[in-house]
Amino acid sequence: MKLSKSVLKGIYKKGYKNPTPIQRKTIPIVLNGQDVVAMARTGSGKTAAFLIPIIEKLQSHKTEKGARVIILSPTRELALQTHKFARELARFTDLKCETILGGDSMVRQFEKIHDNPDIIIATPGRLLHVAVEMNLKFSSIQMIVFDEADRLFEMGFKEQLNEILSRLPTKRQTLLFSATLPQTIVDFTKAGLIDPILIRLDTETKISENLRLIHLSCRNEDKLATLLYLLKNSIKSTEQTIVFLPTRHHIEYIKEILDQCSISSTYLYSSLDSEARKINIRTFHMKKVNVLLVTDLAARGVDIPLLDNVINFNFPSRSKLFVHRVGRTARAGKSGTAYSLISNDELPYLFTLSLFLNQPFKAANTSIIDDELDDYETIYGSVPQTIIDEENEIIQKLHGNFSELESMEKVCNSAYKQYLKTREIADGESVRKMKTFLQSEKIGIH
């Protein structure tokens, strides 16, 4: 790719040897100065795909006033991760990189701008606020990057993005990275980009070939028992696991249960204040705990590089959401496992996913197990009832010892009813397939 020695040293220092597909396709185009729209999911190496050519093009710090690159992120967590990554890749240059993020001191951010950084990594709302307060013109900007653009729009930043664009020079390079390409982003690219090159890597309908899918038939009332068994017996205590839960109340209740079972965990939900989020993410990143309880909304923008397992406590009603969740593991050539606890009312969504991924699944039974299927064959099976009963007995004893668990469970049940009202309705064909499947198949032990 004809990269300079200082950039290559930074790449090798990070331990990277071979570029990922998105990097191979994107970096030469960016270095050539063209606008890019790249569809790439979390874990594809997209961050390096724009950071490496940015650092290569900038090369060294300029004393002239004004930043030369802006990178916009949907969340402060993603921005902080990008900032850390940028500094590591640019360690053999004298480039200056700063963050402008909501939740941080405005005075300190004014100072950061006066320090004349080459690269600004920011959340849109705070960057615009600082720009207005300081009357920034952004006239020196050569490149702008919209990272996880679909999330930027989902989170309501459309007006701020258009306002930021209006402040930039017309002669600039624009890079847009997104897992999906909804109409809002298509319209935005028409207005803000010049003849962009579209790079698409089947981001929505593919999962890693190194990802093992384990689908477990499970009644709703037995899901907590199944989760306990997986964390205590199936998953090694040294492995890092994210558990997706439907509501904040489930997180609070299950966190308490895990604590009583001596399973260390931390958590994220959307109403958590930014300082607590930062602390909890750092705790998980540093492997002080290896279980992270999250809701979908809270998990946006949180990137855990070497995640071993994902557990879907409730099966997602949208196939794209499933792909996004499980795409957090089995990355960069490493293996990973996604466990899904699926009740009968969620089973139609598994049929929808199977069609979406073009990846059929089979019911577990003796003949299949005896055939010793390939490790990554997708099986839908159950957990032995004796195991479920043992774990449920432990949970009941905890309820007897800690009276607050009873009320927390009731709040959970109420919140779950509200959650079901927002869940997408399964399509009729998947419901019919589910009924036929349950009538014709005997679900064996996984």
Side-chain angles (χ1 to χ4, degrees), residues 50-249:
F50 60 78
L51 284 179
I52 289 171
I54 284 172
I55 296 166
E56 177 64 31
K57 292 185 81 168
L58 298 185
Q59 284 288 324
S60 60
H61 178 64
K62 287 284 190 290
T63 55
E64 291 90 341
K65 190 176 180 181
R68 290 178 285 162
V69 175
I70 291 174
I71 299 171
L72 294 176
S73 298
T75 66
R76 60 177 288 117
E77 289 81 22
L78 181 60
L80 288 168
Q81 289 162 13
T82 304
H83 178 250
K84 180 173 179 285
F85 196 9
R87 292 188 64 175
E88 289 169 344
L89 287 174
R91 71 176 71 193
F92 297 106
T93 75
D94 63 348
L95 291 170
K96 289 185 178 181
C97 183
E98 293 287 3
T99 56
I100 304 293
L101 308 173
D104 291 346
S105 160
M106 285 287 287
V107 173
R108 175 70 188 105
Q109 292 179 344
F110 294 157
E111 291 172 354
K112 287 181 176 182
I113 297 295
H114 285 304
D115 284 343
N116 198 28
D118 300 287
I119 303 169
I120 294 174
I121 301 172
T123 47
R126 177 52 64 92
L127 180 65
L128 190 56
H129 189 177
V130 170
V132 170
E133 290 291 324
M134 297 184 71
N135 195 27
L136 296 178
K137 304 298 184 187
F138 293 138
S139 57
S140 59
I141 294 296
Q142 299 170 11
M143 297 174 71
I144 183 165
V145 180
F146 298 92
D147 192 13
E148 297 202 0
D150 48 353
R151 305 215 177 288
L152 284 167
F153 279 88
E154 282 173 17
M155 295 171 76
F157 288 124
K158 182 179 178 181
E159 287 185 18
Q160 290 97 322
L161 297 178
N162 284 321
E163 176 62 27
I164 290 167
L165 269 187
S166 71
R167 290 170 172 262
L168 300 179
T170 52
K171 189 178 179 181
R172 65 170 190 273
Q173 188 176 11
T174 307
L175 314 177
L176 186 147
F177 288 78
S178 183
T180 61
L181 204 59
Q183 189 59 44
T184 50
I185 292 183
V186 174
D187 294 341
F188 181 74
T189 58
K190 288 176 182 176
L193 283 76
I194 300 171
D195 297 327
I197 305 294
L198 176 63
I199 299 170
R200 189 167 185 160
L201 297 174
D202 296 323
T203 57
E204 296 178 13
T205 58
K206 291 283 180 72
I207 55 176
S208 169
E209 60 184 18
N210 297 323
L211 176 65
R212 187 182 186 198
L213 300 179
I214 295 180
H215 300 317
L216 297 172
S217 173
C218 189
R219 296 184 306 173
N220 275 312
E221 57 267 34
D222 292 334
K223 285 191 174 184
L224 180 52
T226 305
L227 175 65
L228 280 180
Y229 178 77
L230 290 176
L231 292 175
K232 290 195 291 188
N233 299 280
S234 298
I235 294 170
K236 294 176 183 176
S237 60
T238 55
E239 293 180 351
Q240 288 204 288
T241 302
I242 284 186
V243 183
F244 283 93
L245 295 163
T247 72
R248 170 174 68 90
H249 304 290

Side-chain angles (χ1 to χ4, degrees), residues 356-368:
F356 183 78
L357 296 176
N358 191 28
Q359 187 170 337
F361 64 93
K362 296 180 182 179
N365 58 54
T366 307
S367 62
I368 284 179

